Amino acid sequence: MKLPEFEEVEGPVLMLNMLKFKDREYYFETYLPAFRQVTEKLGITDVKARLVCNVVANVIAPENEAWDAILLVEYPSAKAFKTIAESDAYREIADPHRLAATADLHLYMTTPFEL
């Protein structure tokens, strides 16, 4: 996966994953363990799921926009995320499972801020 250039972001980033599944069970039971295997292989083990939720209703969204779940995943840095996503290990070990499990995915890089 070739990603756009990110300007260097200080500190952790939170990746908002908006998911539409082909196979929800396969995603959680096969893709996520494969993803964890990649992070361990690359030595980037401080990746943490911060929020995992089912989407139950569109409140303010186009009627035809339907997501099954959202995941908010914390990475230690934008560089760590990019290292994982562009790695041969991800492409070989995890990405085939992601493609098999998801019908659609939107992914947003975010940073936390204080209110």
Side-chain angles (χ1 to χ4, degrees), residues 48-75:
K48 301 173 187 90
R50 292 295 184 199
L51 180 69
V52 181
C53 295
N54 291 316
V55 175
V56 296
N58 285 358
V59 178
I60 301 175
E63 284 185 33
N64 63 343
E65 184 176 305
W67 298 101
D68 297 319
I70 61 167
L71 276 68
L72 191 59
V73 180
E74 182 178 345
Y75 291 79

Side-chain angles (χ1 to χ4, degrees), residues 6-53:
F6 304 123
E7 56 181 274
E8 192 52 41
V9 177
E10 294 294 322
V13 296
L14 299 166
M15 300 301 293
L16 173 63
N17 297 256
M18 299 175 64
L19 299 157
K20 187 179 300 185
F21 295 115
K22 290 182 212 173
D23 187 332
R24 175 189 300 266
E25 186 174 305
Y26 189 82
Y27 183 88
F28 288 105
E29 293 180 6
T30 305
Y31 168 69
L32 289 184
F35 180 83
R36 179 60 61 201
Q37 181 183 352
V38 170
T39 63
E40 289 171 0
K41 183 175 188 153
L42 296 174
I44 305 172
T45 56
D46 46 355
V47 177
K48 301 173 187 90
R50 292 295 184 199
L51 180 69
V52 181
C53 295

Side-chain angles (χ1 to χ4, degrees), residues 7 24 35 64 72 85 87 91 93 104-105 107-108 110 115:
E7 56 181 274
R24 175 189 300 266
F35 180 83
N64 63 343
L72 191 59
S87 71
R91 188 172 34 263
I93 297 167
D104 199 2
L105 167 69
L107 187 60
Y108 300 94
T110 70
L115 289 178

Side-chain angles (χ1 to χ4, degrees), residues 76-109:
S77 65
K79 182 179 178 184
F81 169 78
K82 192 168 183 174
T83 296
I84 294 165
E86 291 184 338
S87 71
D88 289 339
Y90 182 81
R91 188 172 34 263
E92 294 164 9
I93 297 167
D95 202 35
H97 300 300
R98 178 189 63 82
L99 293 171
T102 58
D104 199 2
L105 167 69
H106 285 194
L107 187 60
Y108 300 94
M109 181 179 288

